[in-house]
C-alpha cells in the first residue's frame, strides 16, 4: 500500500485529493494546523476511514516536517497548504510569504534529506502570470506576479524546479487555474455569489457586495483538478503542467448565470460594488492552455462552467435551507 502525505488536507483541494487517494488504495496522512475552532468539516466523510490519519503540523515549523516524514516515510507528497486568499495577501504579506515560500522550502529540505526517492507535488498557481498581457498562458509563458501571494507562489515554483534539477528529485508543479466547488471557502468570489443567491432565494439576504466584476478567469472543478495532481506523480519523469479548462469568463458572467439559474432575474438588482474588495494591483485576464496536460497526462476537465455554477448553487441552497429548517 502506498502512503501519501498531504499538507492542507482540510482545504478544498486537500479533501478532494484525500478522497481520490483513499479510493485508489492509499494510506493518506493529512496535515492540518492546530486551531481553536473545528475545521475538519471537509474531511468528515473520511474521518473514520482506517487508512486516513490526521496529524497536526504548521508551515512555519520545519521540525514537524522532519518528524512526520521520518514517521511515515511517504511514497508521495502533495504540498497544498498555504495562505491561499490573493486579496488577503496584500493585508498579511509576511504571513502569506512565510507560509507559501518559506513553508515550501522547509518541506523541500526535509523531503530531500529523509525520503528523496518519494514523488513531490507542488501547488503552483495561475496567479503567477499576473498581469502578463498575452493569454492563453502555458508552461513557457513569462511569469509576472501581481500580489504578495503570486510572488510567493513564483518563489516556491522556481524553488521546486531548482531542487528537482539540483538533487534529481521527482518533483512536479501543477500550475492550476481557478478551481471551485461546493467546498470552496466562503470568502472566495464564486462561493460568495452562490451562497448569496441561495440566501436571497430563501429570503435571508437582500444585497451582495462584490469587487471587480470584469476580472476574467478560467474556472474549473476542483474534483477534476486533483486527478491531474495524482497523474503528475505517476509519470516516469517529473515536469510542470498547466491545469485549466481553456475557457475564460468574467465574474459578471458567473454572477449573471447563477442568478438566472436560481430564478432571481437580473443580478444587478441585488449587487453593489465595494471598493474595499478590489485588489491594489488587479489581474484582469487569466486563461490557461492545458494542451500539454492533455497530451502527456491524458487529462481533460469533465465539469464545464455552467455545470460548476449549478453544482455550487444547488449545494448552497440545500445546505442553507436545511440549516434554516433546523434552526441555524
Amino acid at each position: 500500500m502506498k502512503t501519501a502525505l498531504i499538507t492542507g488536507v482540510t482545504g478544498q483541494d486537500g479533501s478532494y485529493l484525500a478522497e481520490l487517494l483513499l479510493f485508489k488504495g492509499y494510506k493518506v496522512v493529512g496535515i492540518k494546523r492546530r486551531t481553536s475552532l473545528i475545521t475538519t468539516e471537509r474531511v468528515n466523510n473520511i474521518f473514520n476511514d482506517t487508512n486516513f490519519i490526521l496529524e497536526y503540523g504548521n508551515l512555519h515549523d520545519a521540525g514537524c516536517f522532519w518528524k512526520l516524514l521520518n514517521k511515515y516515510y511517504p511514497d508521495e507528497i502533495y504540498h497544498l497548504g498555504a495562505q491561499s486568499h490573493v486579496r488577503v495577501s496584500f493585508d498579511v504579506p509576511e504571513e502569506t510569504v512565510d507560509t507559501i515560500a518559506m513553508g515550501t522550502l522547509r518541506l523541500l529540505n526535509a523531503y530531500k534529506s529523509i525520503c528523496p526517492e518519494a514523488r513531490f507535488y507542488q501547488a503552483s498557481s495561475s496567479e503567477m502570470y499576473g498581469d502578463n498581457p498575452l493569454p492563453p498562458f502555458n508552461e513557457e509563458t513569462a511569469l509576472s506576479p501581481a500580489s504578495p501571494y503570486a510572488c510567493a507562489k513564483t518563489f516556491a515554483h522556481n524553488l521546486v524546479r531548482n531542487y528537482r534539477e539540483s538533487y534529481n528529485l521527482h518533483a512536479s508543479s501543477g500550475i492550476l487555474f481557478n478551481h471551485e466547488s461546493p467546498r470552496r471557502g466562503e470568502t472566495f468570489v464564486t462561493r460568495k455569489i452562490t451562497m448569496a443567491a441561495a440566501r436571497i432565494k430563501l429570503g435571508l439576504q437582500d444585497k451582495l457586495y462584490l469587487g471587480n466584476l470584469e476580472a476574467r478567469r478560467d474556472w474549473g472543478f476542483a474534483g477534476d483538478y486533483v486527478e491531474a495532481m495524482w497523474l503528475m506523480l505517476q509519470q516516469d519523469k517529473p515536469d510542470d503542467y498547466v491545469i485549466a479548462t481553456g475557457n475564460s469568463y468574467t465574474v459578471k458572467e458567473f454572477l449573471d448565470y447563477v442568478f438566472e439559474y436560481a430564478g432571481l432575474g437580473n443580478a444587478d438588482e441585488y449587487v453593489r460594488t465595494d471598493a474595499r474588495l478590489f485588489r491594489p494591483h488587479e489581474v484582469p485576464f487569466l486563461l490557461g492552455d492545458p494542451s500539454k496536460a492533455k497530451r502527456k497526462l491524458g487529462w481533460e476537465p469533465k465539469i464545464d462552467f455552467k455545470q460548476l455554477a449549478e453544482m455550487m448553487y444547488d449545494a448552497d441552497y440545500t445546505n442553507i435551507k436545511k440549516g434554516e429548517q433546523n434552526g441555524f
Side-chain angles (χ1 to χ4, degrees):
M1 176 185 287
K2 286 185 177 181
T3 298
L5 183 142
I6 304 173
T7 68
V9 73
T10 58
Q12 170 189 250
D13 294 5
S15 64
Y16 280 114
L17 179 61
E19 289 175 8
L20 175 69
L21 296 177
L22 289 169
F23 176 78
K24 291 182 178 294
Y26 284 67
K27 175 189 288 186
V28 175
V29 180
I31 302 177
K32 75 172 295 290
R33 287 183 300 116
R34 171 71 178 91
T35 59
S36 58
L37 299 175
I38 296 173
T39 59
T40 56
E41 62 273 4
R42 293 187 181 98
V43 294
N44 280 347
N45 61 318
I46 58 173
F47 199 83
N48 293 321
D49 191 305
T50 56
N51 289 323
F52 179 65
I53 302 166
L54 198 59
E55 293 272 14
Y56 288 119
N58 195 299
L59 294 172
H60 302 295
D61 179 6
C64 77
F65 294 135
W66 288 77
K67 178 186 72 174
L68 293 173
L69 292 183
N70 268 311
K71 182 176 180 180
Y72 293 105
Y73 214 77
D75 301 283
E76 296 174 4
I77 300 167
Y78 295 87
H79 181 37
L80 312 182
Q83 190 299 101
S84 61
H85 198 285
V86 179
R87 175 62 188 84
V88 171
S89 77
F90 287 97
D91 299 323
V92 289
E94 290 188 31
E95 167 72 11
T96 300
V97 171
D98 193 75
T99 58
I100 294 173
M102 295 305 297
T104 302
L105 178 60
R106 295 175 186 117
L107 179 55
L108 281 172
N109 280 333
Y111 157 49
K112 79 176 179 64
S113 300
I114 297 169
C115 51
E117 69 285 355
R119 299 186 173 194
F120 185 97
Y121 171 81
Q122 161 63 17
S124 292
S125 169
S126 62
E127 288 287 336
M128 300 187 306
Y129 296 117
D131 55 7
N132 186 313
L134 300 172
F137 305 129
N138 62 30
E139 294 81 4
E140 306 304 320
T141 301
L143 305 180
S144 183
S147 66
Y149 170 86
C151 290
K153 281 290 186 181
T154 300
F155 176 97
H157 178 77
N158 286 329
L159 191 67
V160 170
R161 181 183 61 83
N162 176 256
Y163 269 52
R164 176 171 69 211
E165 300 300 327
S166 299
Y167 304 111
N168 194 32
L169 300 172
H170 195 297
S172 298
S173 293
I175 307 173
L176 271 59
F177 281 67
N178 293 64
H179 45 291
E180 320 294 315
S181 76
R183 301 180 191 176
R184 189 58 147 151
E186 296 176 9
T187 60
F188 290 85
V189 66
T190 51
R191 188 77 193 287
K192 284 178 70 174
I193 289 170
T194 58
M195 286 190 68
R199 288 179 58 82
I200 291 169
K201 185 72 173 179
L202 290 165
L204 302 173
Q205 183 173 329
D206 57 4
K207 292 290 185 290
L208 167 62
Y209 293 89
L210 296 173
N212 182 12
L213 298 182
E214 299 309 313
R216 182 174 288 272
R217 296 292 185 264
D218 185 329
W219 276 303
F221 172 50
D224 290 340
Y225 284 36
V226 299
E227 182 182 8
M229 299 176 189
W230 176 77
L231 285 168
M232 288 179 212
L233 299 200
Q234 311 316 305
Q235 305 307 302
D236 291 335
K237 295 182 179 180
D239 206 345
D240 302 331
Y241 297 89
V242 163
I243 305 301
T245 69
N247 297 294
S248 194
Y249 301 87
T250 64
V251 173
K252 183 68 164 61
E253 287 175 304
F254 186 91
L255 170 71
D256 286 343
Y257 184 74
V258 169
F259 274 65
E260 175 191 336
Y261 178 72
L264 292 170
N266 187 353
D268 294 341
E269 296 178 13
Y270 305 96
V271 174
R272 300 292 180 269
T273 300
D274 187 340
R276 295 173 298 178
L277 300 176
F278 281 76
R279 301 180 188 180
H281 188 170
E282 288 288 341
V283 173
F285 190 3
L286 292 177
L287 174 64
D289 173 7
S291 55
K292 179 178 175 181
K294 180 178 180 179
R295 184 176 70 254
K296 291 196 169 185
L297 303 179
W299 179 87
E300 290 186 83
K302 300 179 181 70
I303 302 296
D304 66 22
F305 174 78
K306 289 185 176 181
Q307 290 171 316
L308 176 63
E310 293 169 9
M311 173 199 304
M312 292 176 68
Y313 171 79
D314 287 343
D316 279 330
Y317 181 85
T318 299
N319 289 334
I320 293 168
K321 186 176 182 180
K322 185 185 300 181
E324 186 185 27
Q325 290 172 341
N326 291 335
F328 296 110

